[in-house]
Amino acid sequence: MLILNAHFLALFIMAPAVTSKLLIDRFGRTVDYLRISITDRCDFRCVYCMAEDMTFLPREQVLSLEEIHTLAKAFVELGVKKIRITGGEPLVRKGALELLTNIGRIDGLQELVITTNGSQLETMARDLKAAGVKRINISLDTLEDDKFKEITRTGNLQQVLRGIQAAKLAGFERIKINAVVLKNKNHQEVCNLVQYAVDNGLDISFIEEMPLGIVDQHDRSSAYYSSDLIKQDLAQQFSLVASLEKTGGPSNYFKVKGTASRVGFISPHSDNFCSTCNRVRLTVEGRLLLCLGNEHSVDLKAVLRTHPNNIESLKQAIIDAMLIKPEKHEFNVHEQPVILRYMNMTGG
Ligand code: SAM
Ligand code: SF4
């Protein structure tokens, strides 16, 4: 059931049953943020996220909506305050809205947020807001139609831009754009993307590409474009003021002087953020991933299906899992990925 190495296995066996109501790992970090991937499927095939030809999970391996809700409830009872729904593309899963509504109603959950590629927002933004989603992250790597097609393979830029406008009208507390920056693909657009964010009253985060899964379309090492280079590019056009504000996440934020927008940098390679990690991820097959950049995981679906209707055994399995949360990720952009799962499985 557990997938872990001998060192962690020893720790796990020696550890006494934990009775704490909170999730605290061996390095003293409290986990109060859960990301749930509610599907591995997607209507896009972004070049950094997936191979062109993907095989998706068969239905029986995927958690049902009820199982996802039970898991979310168990985590909230253990002190999780924030849940992000992601995927794959979460909004292509049938029943996503109903699931979000039910998770949003869990007693003790303070924040329900979502990450989406924006393709369904034109029709779903208002319902998402009504379901209790407070903030929304929308992926947008380019403002050029052809390049958008090149990066997403199957996406349509105009549809996503209309989706962003619908999200603005729906009145979320904050909308943030996520842009993965690839050298010689979209790095030339970082100023335009910030200008778009400023013009629309949005925040934006730039993300260094992570080596998850084997992609065939580009060489990750040569596509690496560091956050420092992006900052230098932005300095030509914008004045960025360092912000002390922390969201408990890996982003370092800057205010764009004279505007309401913030620019964040998620820099897994150039600025390791693991010491303040407060999160774990649940895949749609019910695997609890303790770290984005390591394979350590616990099969919660097996616990759930072996002990249906027994939330306490699920909670104990989650508490025990904290013992194998690794200290830090092991990404190396210049080597072949050691993590074979793709980002759509991981739940970014
Ligand atoms: N489909 C939704 C979307 O694209 O926003 C949600 C899932 S997607 C996996 C979540 C985020 O992960 C997106 O912002 C995407 O750009 C990012 N992402 C995907 N693959 C990545 C990679 N290899 N490195 C860094 N970020 C990645
Ligand atoms: Fe789909 Fe999001 Fe991955 Fe792009 S990044 S392929 S939109 S899951």
Side-chain angles (χ1 to χ4, degrees):
M1 195 186 307
L2 289 175
I3 305 164
L4 67 177
N5 66 27
H7 170 71
F8 285 110
L9 190 58
L11 266 169
F12 189 76
I13 290 165
M14 281 158 29
V18 188
T19 49
S20 161
K21 283 247 162 96
L22 288 178
L23 299 176
I24 301 175
D25 77 356
R26 294 174 297 135
F27 305 97
R29 298 171 296 193
T30 301
V31 170
D32 57 8
Y33 178 14
L34 172 68
R35 292 186 172 212
I36 310 179
S37 171
I38 66 167
T39 178
D40 61 330
R41 288 163 196 260
C42 187
D43 48 347
F44 292 3
R45 296 284 183 279
C46 302
V47 293
Y48 44 73
C49 178
M50 293 190 186
E52 185 152 24
D53 188 19
M54 292 288 287
T55 309
F56 296 105
L57 292 166
R59 186 175 286 266
E60 61 278 8
Q61 278 183 35
V62 167
L63 293 173
S64 68
L65 297 178
E66 292 73 23
E67 286 173 327
I68 295 174
H69 180 257
T70 303
L71 280 155
K73 192 162 178 294
F75 275 95
V76 174
E77 287 181 13
L78 289 167
V80 162
K81 295 187 174 60
K82 173 174 167 183
I83 292 182
R84 177 174 300 281
I85 300 297
T86 179
E89 175 45 43
L91 299 183
V92 300
R93 176 149 184 188
K94 221 167 143 213
L97 268 177
E98 183 195 338
L99 175 65
L100 280 154
T101 308
N102 290 337
I103 292 180
R105 286 186 185 143
I106 296 175
D107 242 3
L109 182 68
Q110 291 176 8
E111 223 184 344
L112 176 63
V113 294
I114 183 169
T115 300
T116 171
N117 65 20
S119 68
Q120 311 301 313
L121 283 178
E122 202 176 355
T123 52
M124 291 179 81
R126 279 173 58 151
D127 292 338
L128 280 173
K129 178 75 176 38
V133 174
K134 290 211 173 112
R135 292 187 291 112
I136 183 160
N137 286 357
I138 306 170
S139 298
L140 179 71
D141 305 319
T142 172
L143 291 164
E144 295 175 16
D145 289 289
D146 289 352
K147 210 175 277 178
F148 192 85
K149 187 65 91 192
E150 214 182 293
I151 293 176
T152 63
R153 293 193 179 104
T154 54
N156 177 321
L157 173 64
Q158 298 310 319
Q159 187 182 342
V160 171
L161 294 181
R162 288 196 301 274
I164 294 173
Q165 294 310 316
K168 275 176 64 181
L169 282 174
F172 292 98
E173 270 173 27
R174 281 203 100 92
I175 302 173
K176 180 162 77 81
I177 301 298
N178 276 343
V180 175
V181 180
L182 305 178
K183 186 174 174 184
N184 294 329
K185 184 82 78 186
N186 64 340
H187 86 264
Q188 310 88 333
E189 276 194 75
V190 293
C191 284
N192 290 350
L193 284 164
V194 170
Q195 191 59 54
Y196 173 81
V198 167
D199 292 344
N200 286 281
L202 316 174
D203 292 335
I204 181 164
S205 276
F206 292 108
I207 308 174
E208 290 176 354
E209 185 186 13
M210 298 173 223
L212 295 172
I214 294 172
V215 293
D216 42 14
Q217 197 268 356
H218 65 288
D219 169 33
R220 283 187 152 136
S221 171
S222 19
Y224 175 55
Y225 201 74
S226 73
S227 296
D228 280 344
L229 287 174
I230 301 172
K231 282 179 203 157
Q232 282 173 29
D233 295 343
L234 295 180
Q236 313 283 325
Q237 198 171 316
F238 301 97
S239 181
L240 299 186
V241 184
S243 162
L244 292 179
E245 204 173 339
K246 278 304 278 177
T247 57
S251 249
N252 281 320
Y253 280 105
F254 292 77
K255 286 214 156 107
V256 185
K257 202 170 170 187
T259 79
S261 295
R262 297 180 306 174
V263 181
F265 297 91
I266 301 176
S267 322
H269 305 295
S270 59
D271 182 14
N272 188 290
F273 42 68
C274 300
S275 64
T276 55
C277 183
N278 64 345
R279 66 199 57 196
V280 289
R281 293 171 164 82
L282 181 68
T283 73
V284 73
E285 350 165 56
R287 243 190 335 140
L288 179 65
L289 299 175
L290 284 309
C291 172
L292 182 64
N294 277 279
E295 293 288 9
H296 302 67
S297 70
V298 175
D299 184 357
L300 292 182
K301 182 176 68 188
V303 180
L304 194 61
R305 292 188 181 173
T306 313
H307 308 280
N309 309 319
N310 182 350
I311 200 164
E312 292 309 316
S313 48
L314 198 54
K315 280 161 71 178
Q316 188 60 48
I318 297 168
I319 291 168
D320 291 345
M322 293 302 118
L323 291 168
I324 60 161
K325 185 167 168 61
E327 186 176 10
K328 54 188 169 65
H329 68 66
E330 308 289 351
F331 290 139
N332 184 337
V333 77
H334 302 296
E335 287 176 4
Q336 272 297 312
V338 280
I339 308 294
L340 295 179
R341 73 182 130 74
Y342 289 96
M343 191 60 133
N344 69 308
M345 285 299 299
T346 306

